[in-house]
Amino acid sequence: MKGRNIHENINLASEMVNELQIKRKDGNVGLKLDITQAFDTVSWSFVLEVFRRYGFSEFWCDWILIILKSSRIFVLVNGSPEGFFSIDRGLRHGDPLCPLIFVLIEDVLRRNITKLFCEGHMTTMVTRKVSREKSKLYYGGGSVRRRETIAEFLGMNIATFPDRYLGVKVVSGTVKYHHISDVLEKIKEQLSGWKGRMLSFQDRVVLVNSVIANYSIHNMAVHKWPRKFIHQCEFVIRNFLWPGDSQVSRFFVVSYDKICAPYEEGGLGIPQMRVMNTLCS
């Protein structure tokens, strides 16, 4: 939405979650809609035209086209991939570049919808674009019978909180340790996947600063983390920095507070989680 960043959308969703629990005569309904095959139906020629309109060079567009053409689809036979075939449209799930491309495409869609609305040409959205299997229905503040009636009418699954929205777990009420414990597991998974022992110490510092810190800030901007949870996250990061393995614990000659100090003060400039937790919340 124009003029709003991603954290404001998550905060708004978090407030709506709490509103759902207020008892009212007919209850409260929240819908999380999923567009059918949004990633799979993107036209590559349209992607390149969007980049050109944004001012990217043809050399850049050729790079993007090469990346898109490198996609392959495998068929699982008894759990193992067998053979492959190429595709001529769509974006890859899990590719770190594809969400950024999709954001640009959505911006073009938003501009066109706004233009149609201002010109009075806006019509009802085609219902088949909504994937009812992946969409979710949230209900609160009313009877169970009414909830089931609404779910049957819409053909959507009934979901409960906590649930994930834009990469952040949204819960009703106060955030507890068990609500965000999976964040620690994801941090451990990322650190173990980087094979820290095969990297130099400076490489490990760059990874912590660019990935782990940003991922934590994204979550802290919505929910304040418990002190116990922050201590466990910092413990895992310390293990990755020094031995190169987040699962291996050892004694450190230099305290963690000193390596979190700015470069001008002799530190490594690593953001301190408990400080971020205070500033972001």
Side-chain angles (χ1 to χ4, degrees):
M1 299 179 67
K2 187 176 181 179
R4 180 182 297 174
N5 61 37
I6 189 172
H7 293 128
E8 292 178 13
N9 292 333
I10 301 173
N11 287 329
L12 178 60
S14 181
E15 292 177 5
M16 293 176 64
V17 169
N18 292 312
E19 283 286 330
L20 283 173
Q21 310 306 318
I22 299 176
K23 288 188 177 182
R24 293 186 173 92
K25 179 181 178 181
D26 297 322
N28 310 299
V29 176
L31 299 177
K32 183 179 179 182
L33 303 179
D34 183 89
I35 301 177
T36 303
Q37 298 179 337
F39 260 51
D40 301 334
T41 57
V42 173
S43 170
W44 290 351
S45 60
F46 178 72
V47 171
L48 299 180
E49 184 61 25
V50 169
F51 274 111
R52 294 188 184 100
R53 294 296 182 94
Y54 272 101
F56 289 88
S57 65
E58 286 296 327
F59 190 61
W60 171 270
C61 293
D62 290 339
W63 274 359
I64 297 297
L65 185 59
I66 291 174
I67 294 174
L68 295 175
K69 285 185 175 180
S70 65
S71 302
R72 296 291 185 271
I73 295 180
F74 294 87
V75 179
L76 291 178
V77 179
N78 296 328
S80 301
E82 298 291 341
F84 66 89
F85 55 92
S86 59
I87 58 177
D88 57 4
R89 65 188 300 118
L91 301 175
R92 285 187 290 188
H93 293 273
D95 190 321
L97 180 62
C98 287
L100 302 178
I101 297 176
F102 195 75
V103 166
L104 294 179
I105 296 172
E106 283 188 319
D107 182 61
V108 175
L109 175 63
R110 178 190 61 81
R111 291 168 184 260
N112 288 330
I113 290 177
T114 303
K115 181 180 178 182
L116 290 173
F117 183 81
C118 293
E119 295 176 351
H121 297 154
M122 194 66 185
T123 58
T124 306
M125 180 180 289
V126 182
T127 55
R128 63 181 176 85
K129 286 188 175 293
V130 177
S131 175
R132 298 179 185 272
E133 295 78 13
K134 295 182 180 180
S135 299
K136 295 180 180 180
L137 165 68
Y138 304 97
Y139 184 84
S143 64
V144 176
R145 181 178 179 181
R146 183 171 178 80
R147 180 188 65 183
E148 294 175 349
T149 302
I150 295 175
E152 183 179 356
F153 175 77
L154 295 176
M156 298 179 182
N157 297 322
I158 301 174
T160 57
F161 296 101
D163 200 357
R164 189 167 294 279
Y165 176 65
L166 297 178
V168 177
K169 186 159 288 187
V170 180
V171 301
S172 58
T174 307
V175 179
K176 303 295 183 181
Y177 177 84
H178 65 275
H179 290 148
I180 56 176
S181 59
D182 61 325
V183 175
L184 179 61
E185 296 303 321
K186 285 191 176 183
I187 292 177
K188 287 182 178 180
E189 183 180 344
Q190 284 185 324
L191 293 176
S192 61
W194 285 334
K195 306 298 182 183
R197 292 183 177 180
M198 302 177 65
L199 302 173
S200 66
F201 180 77
Q202 189 59 38
D203 291 336
R204 297 198 289 268
V205 172
V206 171
L207 287 174
V208 169
N209 280 336
S210 61
V211 180
I212 298 300
N214 291 336
Y215 182 80
S216 303
I217 291 174
H218 179 63
N219 284 265
M220 289 177 180
V222 181
H223 301 304
K224 188 172 183 179
W225 286 5
R227 185 179 301 177
K228 173 185 175 182
F229 184 74
I230 293 177
H231 176 74
Q232 291 182 351
C233 289
E234 291 184 342
F235 181 76
V236 170
I237 292 174
R238 289 200 302 268
N239 290 341
F240 176 76
L241 282 175
W242 296 108
D245 190 339
S246 60
Q247 307 296 331
V248 176
S249 178
R250 57 171 290 186
F251 292 101
F252 310 110
V253 178
V254 182
S255 67
Y256 188 69
D257 290 341
K258 289 185 178 180
I259 65 174
C260 289
Y263 287 103
E264 297 78 11
E265 300 177 9
L268 299 177
I270 297 176
Q272 211 163 5
M273 281 193 166
R274 58 177 176 268
V275 177
M276 292 191 302
N277 193 40
T278 303
L279 296 176
C280 293
S281 301

